[in-house]
Amino acid sequence: MARQGARVELGPAARPGIEASRRAIEGALGDAEPHYGINTGFGSLSRKRIGDEELHELQRNLVRSHAAGVGEPLPEDIVRAMLLILAASLARGRSGVRVELVESIVAMLNAGVTPIVPEIGSVGASGDLAPLSHAALVLIGEGEATHKSERIAGGEALRRAGLKPITLEAKEGLALINGTHLMSARLALIWADLGRVFDAAVIATAMSIDACRGTDEFLDPRVYEARNQPGPAEVAERLRALLAGSQILPSHAENDPRVQDPYSIRCAPIVLGSVSDSLRGVERALVAELGAVTDNPLVFPGADGGDIVSAGNFHGMPLAIPLDTLAIGLAHVAGISERRVYHMLSAFDEEAHLPPYLSPGPGLHSGLMIAQYTAAALCNEIVTLATPASVYNVTTSAGMEDYNSYGPRAAAKAARSLDLTRRVIAIELVCAAQGIEFHRTLRSGAMVEAAIETIRRVVPTLHADRPPSPDIEAVAALIADGAFSPA
């Protein structure tokens, strides 16, 4: 989304709406009434009326004063996605800005000028104020930016790109910083990667079933019809397809003393399916927000000039709760994966026909013993990240902004959780692929065997101890590239 090289354009159909909303702002400036953020101060200072001769300074000071972020700069793809979503919101004609302002954002994106935006500072209500202010500084020729991979002053970045700073008119500074655009950007980018991790988790589950010589009886469609939950039924169907044609499953169908497999195998469709169902709600929230206007006040043009309405569309709770939900779901995807890794490596189930730690020579070789330690460490951090950010409030702006969402922190936690979960699933794939090697010459289902071939392109079969770290990272990179997702 909005990556370097992707060209952005403001469509001509957007111009009439933007211009109409701007006329409404200009009309409001002439009616001698106070209008929040247009001719007043901000937050708890909203009762302070500002004279017409100071309106330019008011908007410039707003951007400067709110650029209070700290920490490491956000990655460029997040900042560019944030600017793209900002431009789209302003183009919907409810913010009262000039067409020139939207065009300036678009031009900056197309010229490869990316503001330096510190990660921490937004509480996810009244918009993502601090991050968006750092971005807006560059539009007015201040702050810092990167251009052609060089970090330079914002004004210099514009000059090198052949662009000029913009002078903000009434309402425009507020419109630039008063929206959920950082939260939306982070969730959109997380969503683009999330499906690949989930697909890999399903394949890892199927691979582990055969590696552990588990049964497929629990995948009976009648089981999930009785449960009446769509997600579990879909995951069970996918697992059946992945294992179709397996020679390992029928090889132990008779004279196997085990009655049931552990929960991490037998209940995998229920757990993963429940996560899948919860993610549908996350997707709905994301799609809705990408089409939203999250400014305040909102402008509704009309024949009589229109209305300017102060409300709370900037509040991030519609994204904060889904982001927290996403992190909880990832904790279960990773957690049940780690349990299957433990099951494969522990050798407590003699009927699995697996050596301790999948070692090629237990004792002399430790095999994949410590890979499970790493999975456990990853899961420990993921569990802490699953604690919701949105449930605890800290009041801001002298009590005027007395209930915030903390959606940006929920987004940061979710992004970190996704990165860690990808590595847990990579560990399971490495272990399960090695486990199936002990059942040769039997083969698993065609789709599982294709996944093993993909793994073997970067991770050879373990014949003697070697550092597992490069293998784990190589498979994690395969997951990130979509190697285990349907074409």
Side-chain angles (χ1 to χ4, degrees):
M1 172 181 288
R3 287 181 169 86
Q4 212 80 326
R7 184 162 185 83
V8 182
E9 293 184 3
L10 176 64
R15 294 175 183 272
I18 300 172
E19 292 167 349
S21 72
R22 184 62 201 173
R23 287 193 295 271
I25 294 294
E26 292 168 353
L29 290 172
D31 66 10
E33 296 293 326
H35 299 283
Y36 175 74
I38 300 171
N39 55 11
T40 72
F42 307 99
S44 64
L45 300 175
S46 60
R47 297 184 184 183
K48 177 68 174 177
R49 182 71 179 268
I50 308 300
D52 291 350
E53 69 283 358
E54 297 176 310
L55 295 184
H56 291 288
E57 187 178 357
L58 172 69
Q59 299 300 315
R60 184 176 64 248
N61 288 343
L62 173 69
V63 171
R64 287 174 173 170
S65 66
H66 283 49
V70 298
E72 293 298 312
L74 288 166
E76 283 197 5
D77 61 343
I78 294 175
V79 176
R80 291 177 63 77
M82 179 178 75
L83 288 171
L84 176 63
I85 294 169
L86 167 62
S89 178
L90 297 179
R92 295 187 177 103
R94 291 288 180 264
S95 295
V97 302
R98 292 167 296 154
V99 170
E100 291 85 346
L101 182 63
V102 185
E103 290 176 332
S104 293
I105 299 170
V106 170
M108 193 164 70
L109 281 169
N110 289 333
V113 175
T114 304
I116 299 295
V117 178
E119 181 185 14
I120 301 171
S122 175
V123 299
S126 289
D128 291 315
L129 294 173
L132 287 164
S133 293
H134 282 277
L137 278 175
V138 178
L139 281 168
I140 64 174
E142 301 180 14
E144 289 186 287
T146 58
H147 181 251
K148 296 183 177 180
S149 301
E150 185 179 356
R151 181 170 175 168
I152 52 179
E156 176 63 12
L158 293 181
R159 187 191 68 78
R160 292 188 187 182
L163 305 176
K164 294 182 179 179
I166 191 166
T167 300
L168 299 176
E169 300 286 349
K171 175 64 168 63
E172 290 184 331
L174 183 60
L176 285 173
I177 71 173
N178 205 20
T180 63
H181 313 309
L182 172 60
M183 285 174 271
S184 300
R186 297 209 73 165
L187 179 51
L189 293 172
I190 289 167
W191 190 261
D193 294 331
L194 179 63
R196 296 176 177 183
V197 173
F198 192 85
D199 290 338
V202 175
I203 288 180
T205 302
M207 197 180 296
S208 293
I209 290 170
D210 261 356
C212 296
R213 295 176 81 242
T215 181
D216 63 347
E217 287 185 359
F218 66 93
L219 300 177
D220 188 323
R222 295 171 296 179
V223 171
Y224 303 94
E225 182 180 356
R227 187 60 194 262
N228 199 34
Q229 296 283 355
E234 291 170 8
V235 171
E237 183 179 6
R238 291 178 68 177
L239 291 173
R240 288 195 300 272
L242 287 163
L243 291 166
S246 169
Q247 297 171 337
I248 301 173
L249 286 170
S251 72
H252 59 96
E254 297 181 5
N255 302 318
D256 190 327
R258 296 173 295 179
V259 178
Q260 298 183 128
D261 290 316
Y263 285 3
S264 59
I265 292 176
R266 183 168 24 121
C267 298
I270 304 295
V271 174
L272 293 178
S274 299
V275 174
S276 178
D277 282 340
S278 75
L279 294 179
R280 289 186 174 90
V282 176
E283 183 180 26
R284 285 195 299 271
L286 171 61
V287 171
E289 198 75 356
L290 290 177
V293 178
T294 55
D295 196 1
N296 178 61
L298 292 176
V299 181
F300 299 95
D304 58 351
D307 297 315
I308 298 173
V309 181
S310 288
N313 274 11
F314 49 69
H315 205 285
M317 202 61 81
L319 293 181
I321 293 175
L323 281 161
D324 280 336
T325 300
L326 193 157
I328 291 170
L330 287 170
H332 292 297
V333 173
I336 198 168
S337 174
E338 183 278 328
R339 289 293 79 198
R340 290 189 295 268
V341 169
Y342 179 89
H343 180 56
M344 281 184 279
L345 298 181
S346 66
F348 80 86
D349 183 358
E350 294 181 355
E351 295 300 325
H353 295 184
L354 296 174
Y357 308 118
L358 301 175
S359 170
L364 178 61
H365 298 279
S366 294
L368 292 165
M369 176 194 292
I370 306 303
Q372 186 265 329
Y373 287 47
T374 301
L378 291 164
C379 286
N380 180 261
E381 182 174 350
I382 291 167
V383 167
T384 66
L385 293 168
T387 302
S390 62
V391 297
Y392 179 69
N393 178 64
V394 178
T395 296
T396 54
S397 194
M400 176 62 74
E401 297 164 6
D402 59 352
Y403 205 81
N404 297 309
S405 77
Y406 292 92
R409 301 320 309 152
K413 293 193 308 89
R416 174 68 173 168
S417 294
L418 182 63
D419 184 54
L420 300 180
T421 299
R422 184 185 295 114
R423 286 172 167 80
V424 175
I425 302 304
I427 290 170
E428 183 180 5
L429 287 167
V430 169
C431 291
Q434 182 68 17
I436 286 177
E437 300 291 354
F438 290 99
H439 307 317
R440 298 303 190 199
T441 57
L442 298 176
R443 295 180 64 80
S444 184
M447 295 170 70
V448 169
E449 290 293 343
I452 294 173
E453 289 178 11
T454 298
I455 293 167
R456 289 288 171 255
R457 290 201 296 266
V458 297
V459 177
T461 301
L462 188 67
H463 295 297
D465 277 349
R466 64 172 183 261
S469 178
D471 296 346
I472 295 167
E473 294 292 8
V475 175
L478 288 176
I479 295 171
D481 289 341
F484 302 102
S485 295

